[in-house]
Amino acid sequence: MSLCTTCHLLLRGHYGSEWRGTFDLRFRHHATRQDLQNSARLGCGICQIVFREVSRIDARDSKGRLVRELRGQIRRVASGKWESDPQEPLLRVGISRVPDISGIYSMEFRTTQSERVGTFVLNPVDNSTRRLRTTYATSTDSDEVFQLARDWLKQCTKFHHNCRVAHNTWYPRRLINIGTAFVHKSPDKKVYLVLTDPENKEGNNPSITGPYLTLSHCWGKSKPLRLHRGNVTEFTRGILIDQLPKTFRDAMQFTARLGIRYIWIDSLCIVQDDEIDWLHQSAQMDRVYSNSYCNLSATCATDSDQGLFTTREPYELWETDANLNTEGIPGRLMSLKDVVSRVKGVSDPVERCSVLDISFWERMVDKAPVNLRAWVLQERLLAPRILHFCQGQIAWECAELDAAESFPDGLTNFQLSAGAIVDGGRLKSLVPEIDGKRLRETRLKLPKGKPDPQPHLIPDIYTYELWKHVVEAYSTTALTKPGDKLIALSGIAKVMAGMLSARYVVGMWNTEHLASQLLWRVNEKYERGAFSYLSERPKEYRAPSFSWVAVDAETGITYGEVLDQENLLMEVTEVHVELKSRDDFGLVKSGFLDLTGRLRRIEMVELDQVTRYGWRLAKPSLPGSQRLFTNVYLDAPRSDTDIFEPGANLYCMPAAWSQRKNSSSKDLICLLLQQLDGNNYKRIGLAKVSAYDRGQNDVLSLIGDEPMLPPRPVTRTVRII
């Protein structure tokens, strides 16, 4: 796609440059929202992305925007500028080199209120080796798009060593036989439910051969056609394709075009009103998806009636390139060619770069409707390859390649982490020594070549890093039935169990590092200057409170990182889980964990809308006079409302020392517990006491302020249920 004049002049000639008191490159962009909108309508690839984000923020935060504008007027009055500055731009742009990733640059857009509305990676290209693809088709159901999908499939199955090709010695219990239903002028317009188990007497038993596909889709509010006990025989006799929702028809038609006869769709292949069958089939998800040839994903559809295919403007998929003047970009190292050119006065250093919206993959794939479903995460992870039908284009995902029509040869999944651009890696690549290592180095921000701070934990630490990544992604997804939270993760948990050779315990692993894994926390949401906790407990029991599975958090959780034993201040002495079935990865009836450590009685305090919550040590002799700690992460304050009431029986257990990045100082991590009855406790949250807070000594000291403990430092074993 092309660039508007404003973007072109800014990148090529540094037009609109501003001095902001530092040597960073800062520029003025469009002056008004209307200018930005006009540029987006005319096809500027950069302005389209930025305008979409500005519009999203405006729609989400109209009230907050008015408040910010009022604050801006107040600042102008205070500075003597009574009138709005007619030259004040809508947006400002910063350009810099991306540290730790060789040769690329970033272009960041912010509003005048410093809210980020777009980040782009500028990656120098070599047109002599780059393959450019011109898209002409106006719909993703075209022959052009189908051919690209076949090319990806061929490349993956023939040349990708890390991508499995199932030889189909195992099949799901039921499949849909497409037959000739989608052959032109075929008299048989039915598809058939087939039973692959020869011992099963429910229906026909054809000889099953060849590969099968699977489908990921959103059920939506309109429930799709479903298999139930009353229509099994009817389905084996045939289902008219006109009775199927559009997404199912599209998926079957695409399967037939590939020359494949069978497809597995959950609502048609699991008896939905038979709990025994549902539990049995759900426990087989790891095999269902890992043995498939390819998974088709209705990625952008919110229900089964929308279908796989969408229309688009083909030119919007063309590459966006720019000539970048790299003169003065902070952190850029001059090459010998640059030095010679400068001495001769020949030209400015200019590089031809491709422009990549850093949110592209997240917007098109990760945060698309189907991938917000909890069940779909393990479908993505377990299937050997996935063809995503996104809004306006298709995308590809396997262990060795992430690609889209806009980037047919692949693209790097850049992400923002704490404001910095990092290589987010591929979700489907789960090789501990490669992907786990990369995730760990990125999270710890280890410079290239610097050794791991815990070399004695290698290589197991890399597998834990993969599990941490999976859990954190999974915890942000949604379930129609909250009780499915363990089942919907069971497939990938089985795969991970093979890597760790460890016993699975309600979303964690019963190893010497179990105590570290207990230090998970719910992520708070920070918006409009205030923190909020969008988490709650399910109405029906799902897991013991020591596990992250016990809460639903819209913003997700941060999984506990593995700590050295010398940093732990507590010890797990026993853990027990009673399951509802023989499946070690399935639903849970009850469970407990015995934990030995120090206890301090505390009080929870509700604060203002900015900080929200705090806690303090409870000393009967000095009521209300204790230090207030505000670095607290409550598990489910929406559900645990009684923790703020008098007599809530709350305790703090110092749990571990956490090494601060780039510092020898250590934070104190504490578990927050509520006594229920006798020696039974419920976890209610996690807290951190900063290394720079003198209150660490208060928390660690036992001076007889609790009637249940003698006046000397002791430990106590409590049971968390």
Side-chain angles (χ1 to χ4, degrees):
M1 294 179 66
S2 61
L3 297 182
C4 67
T5 302
T6 299
C7 289
H8 173 69
L9 293 178
L10 185 154
L11 291 166
R12 179 63 179 83
H14 289 185
Y15 277 59
S17 178
E18 290 185 320
W19 170 252
R20 306 292 292 178
T22 69
F23 289 102
D24 294 340
L25 282 183
R26 293 289 182 266
F27 304 91
R28 303 159 72 90
H29 199 251
H30 286 299
T32 67
R33 192 180 190 280
Q34 188 61 53
D35 290 343
L36 178 66
Q37 183 176 7
N38 290 340
S39 179
R41 285 176 175 172
L42 290 173
C44 175
I46 292 177
C47 290
Q48 284 183 348
I49 303 300
V50 175
F51 179 70
R52 183 187 298 122
E53 183 64 13
V54 169
S55 300
R56 186 188 68 81
I57 291 173
D58 284 349
R60 179 204 72 194
D61 190 23
S62 57
K63 182 179 178 181
R65 179 161 46 88
L66 293 174
V67 170
R68 289 195 299 271
E69 290 174 356
L70 179 59
R71 287 175 178 170
Q73 292 177 14
I74 293 173
R75 285 196 299 269
R76 286 192 293 272
V77 170
S79 63
K81 297 180 180 180
W82 296 84
E83 300 295 333
S84 297
D85 183 357
Q87 300 304 314
E88 183 74 3
L90 173 70
L91 303 168
R92 284 192 167 89
V93 183
I95 297 178
S96 60
R97 188 184 70 85
V98 177
D100 302 324
I101 303 180
S102 178
I104 71 171
Y105 305 90
S106 69
M107 182 182 189
E108 182 178 83
F109 285 75
R110 288 183 180 270
T111 66
T112 51
Q113 290 80 31
S114 296
E115 189 161 11
R116 183 185 285 111
V117 289
T119 303
F120 299 84
V121 165
L122 308 175
N123 193 7
V125 297
D126 181 358
N127 282 328
S128 64
T129 59
R130 184 170 59 151
R131 177 171 69 110
L132 296 179
R133 178 175 178 273
T134 302
T135 304
Y136 296 102
T138 58
S139 173
T140 55
D141 68 348
S142 67
D143 291 341
E144 174 188 306
V145 175
F146 177 75
Q147 186 57 51
L148 177 62
R150 292 194 63 172
D151 289 345
W152 283 332
L153 276 165
K154 181 179 179 180
Q155 178 184 355
C156 179
T157 55
K158 286 195 172 184
F159 304 111
H160 289 179
H161 299 295
N162 293 322
C163 298
R164 305 177 307 279
V165 180
H167 296 291
N168 294 107
T169 57
W170 182 92
Y171 289 94
R173 186 178 185 184
R174 304 179 187 92
L175 288 169
I176 297 296
N177 182 351
I178 297 171
T180 60
F182 293 92
V183 175
H184 184 57
K185 293 185 178 180
S186 169
D188 187 358
K189 294 300 180 182
K190 290 182 179 180
V191 296
Y192 299 86
L193 178 70
V194 294
L195 286 299
T196 65
D197 182 357
E199 299 300 319
N200 194 288
K201 305 303 181 184
E202 292 178 354
N204 52 338
N205 269 307
S207 176
I208 306 295
T209 59
Y212 67 91
L213 300 189
T214 51
L215 174 68
S216 293
H217 65 103
C218 287
W219 284 41
K221 294 182 179 179
S222 58
K223 300 296 184 183
L225 185 67
R226 289 169 289 169
L227 180 68
H228 54 78
R229 283 177 290 190
N231 64 8
V232 173
T233 301
E234 177 187 344
F235 277 21
T236 60
R237 293 172 179 169
I239 310 167
L240 286 170
I241 59 175
D242 289 342
Q243 294 179 322
L244 296 167
K246 191 173 189 307
T247 298
F248 293 7
R249 294 199 307 272
D250 288 351
M252 292 175 186
Q253 180 183 20
F254 195 88
T255 301
R257 291 185 73 182
L258 288 173
I260 294 175
R261 191 177 187 88
Y262 302 104
I263 189 169
W264 186 92
I265 300 175
D266 53 2
S267 63
L268 298 181
C269 296
I270 299 176
V271 182
Q272 299 297 317
D273 60 349
D274 186 333
E275 184 177 3
I276 294 176
D277 187 74
W278 187 89
L279 287 172
H280 177 74
Q281 299 303 317
S282 296
Q284 298 284 318
M285 288 301 98
D286 58 320
R287 303 183 75 181
V288 169
Y289 284 92
S290 62
N291 282 281
S292 70
Y293 180 70
C294 180
N295 183 53
L296 305 180
S297 177
T299 306
C300 69
T302 56
D303 62 45
S304 296
D305 293 325
Q306 291 186 12
L308 292 185
F309 309 117
T310 59
T311 58
R312 79 278 186 91
E313 292 290 348
Y315 67 84
E316 292 185 353
L317 278 64
W318 299 350
E319 72 283 350
T320 299
D321 286 355
N323 291 320
L324 174 64
N325 185 343
T326 60
E327 178 73 25
I329 294 180
R332 177 183 178 273
L333 299 177
M334 294 182 64
S335 65
L336 178 61
K337 181 179 178 181
D338 292 338
V339 175
V340 172
S341 296
R342 175 171 291 186
V343 170
K344 293 182 176 181
V346 175
S347 64
D348 293 330
V350 175
E351 294 190 57
R352 186 69 174 172
C353 296
S354 64
V355 181
L356 171 64
D357 169 24
I358 201 171
S359 67
F360 174 83
W361 191 258
E362 179 182 80
R363 175 169 45 84
M364 296 294 294
V365 178
D366 288 342
K367 297 301 182 183
V370 78
N371 289 322
L372 298 180
R373 290 185 60 227
W375 282 97
V376 172
L377 179 66
Q378 73 170 1
E379 295 168 11
R380 286 178 70 187
L381 289 169
L382 294 171
R385 54 198 63 85
I386 301 171
L387 191 60
H388 292 281
F389 290 84
C390 307
Q391 183 60 51
Q393 61 179 300
I394 62 170
W396 175 265
E397 190 175 24
C398 68
E400 294 193 18
L401 179 69
D402 289 347
E405 284 187 77
S406 299
F407 305 92
D409 294 328
L411 74 162
T412 303
N413 185 20
F414 293 111
Q415 296 177 359
L416 281 175
S417 175
I421 294 177
V422 298
D423 180 355
R426 289 185 298 274
L427 177 71
K428 282 187 59 57
S429 190
L430 296 175
V431 180
E433 294 78 8
I434 299 175
D435 305 291
K437 183 174 184 288
R438 176 190 50 75
L439 285 168
R440 181 168 172 79
E441 290 174 347
T442 298
R443 183 174 62 81
L444 297 179
K445 298 182 179 178
L446 291 178
K448 190 174 183 179
K450 185 175 181 179
D452 193 286
Q454 296 171 296
H456 51 286
L457 297 180
I458 297 173
D460 286 351
I461 191 71
Y462 297 146
T463 308
Y464 280 105
E465 202 72 43
L466 287 176
W467 181 248
K468 174 180 170 69
H469 182 61
V470 168
V471 167
E472 290 176 356
Y474 180 75
S475 67
T476 63
T477 58
L479 284 161
T480 303
K481 298 179 180 178
D484 293 349
K485 193 153 194 168
L486 278 167
I487 286 287
L489 187 64
S490 62
I492 189 61
K494 290 177 183 178
V495 173
M496 202 63 65
M499 296 182 184
L500 284 169
S501 299
R503 179 186 163 212
Y504 187 62
V505 181
V506 203
M508 296 180 287
W509 303 98
N510 190 8
T511 66
E512 60 180 324
H513 304 301
L514 179 57
S516 294
Q517 297 169 72
L518 298 176
L519 304 181
W520 56 270
R521 61 176 173 84
V522 172
N523 298 328
E524 75 277 16
K525 184 176 183 179
Y526 184 76
E527 189 174 68
R528 298 194 292 273
F531 290 98
S532 58
Y533 293 82
L534 308 178
S535 54
E536 56 189 0
R537 300 186 190 276
K539 294 180 180 179
E540 296 183 8
Y541 180 87
R542 187 171 64 203
S545 66
F546 64 78
S547 170
W548 59 270
V549 180
V551 298
D552 292 319
E554 180 183 316
T555 50
I557 66 113
T558 296
Y559 195 74
E561 62 179 281
V562 173
L563 300 173
D564 288 323
Q565 296 297 316
E566 63 189 34
N567 285 330
L568 294 173
L569 301 173
M570 62 180 187
E571 180 184 4
V572 177
T573 56
E574 185 178 357
V575 60
H576 174 77
V577 174
E578 185 177 356
L579 300 167
K580 286 187 176 182
S581 68
R582 296 179 180 179
D583 183 8
D584 291 338
F585 304 89
L587 302 178
V588 170
K589 281 186 180 179
S590 63
F592 67 81
L593 180 141
D594 288 347
L595 202 57
T596 300
R598 305 180 185 188
L599 280 184
R600 295 302 306 271
R601 187 183 290 272
I602 65 169
E603 300 170 344
M604 290 300 306
V605 181
E606 288 188 275
L607 302 174
D608 55 67
Q609 289 297 312
V610 176
T611 315
R612 296 304 301 273
Y613 307 112
W615 63 280
R616 60 189 171 212
L617 298 173
K619 287 191 175 183
S621 58
L622 296 170
S625 64
Q626 299 306 301
R627 183 189 303 272
L628 190 66
F629 302 101
T630 57
N631 195 355
V632 58
Y633 307 88
L634 295 182
D635 292 347
R638 289 179 172 181
S639 304
D640 302 337
T641 55
D642 60 328
I643 65 177
F644 303 105
E645 298 174 0
N649 292 326
L650 305 182
Y651 291 87
C652 158
M653 177 179 282
W657 295 106
S658 175
Q659 189 78 32
R660 295 173 64 89
K661 292 182 177 64
N662 305 318
S663 172
S664 59
S665 302
K666 294 182 178 181
D667 291 339
L668 177 63
I669 305 176
C670 304
L671 288 179
L672 303 183
L673 309 173
Q674 181 180 30
Q675 186 180 27
L676 300 176
D677 57 74
N679 198 41
N680 292 327
Y681 289 74
K682 177 176 76 173
R683 175 187 151 136
I684 62 167
L686 180 138
K688 290 185 179 181
V689 181
S690 170
Y692 307 111
D693 193 324
R694 289 176 295 176
Q696 283 189 352
N697 292 331
D698 294 342
V699 175
L700 290 169
S701 299
L702 290 177
I703 56 175
D705 57 7
E706 294 143 288
M708 64 175 288
L709 296 174
R712 63 181 184 275
V714 296
T715 58
R716 180 178 177 86
T717 299
V718 299
R719 175 159 291 181
I720 304 177
I721 62 175

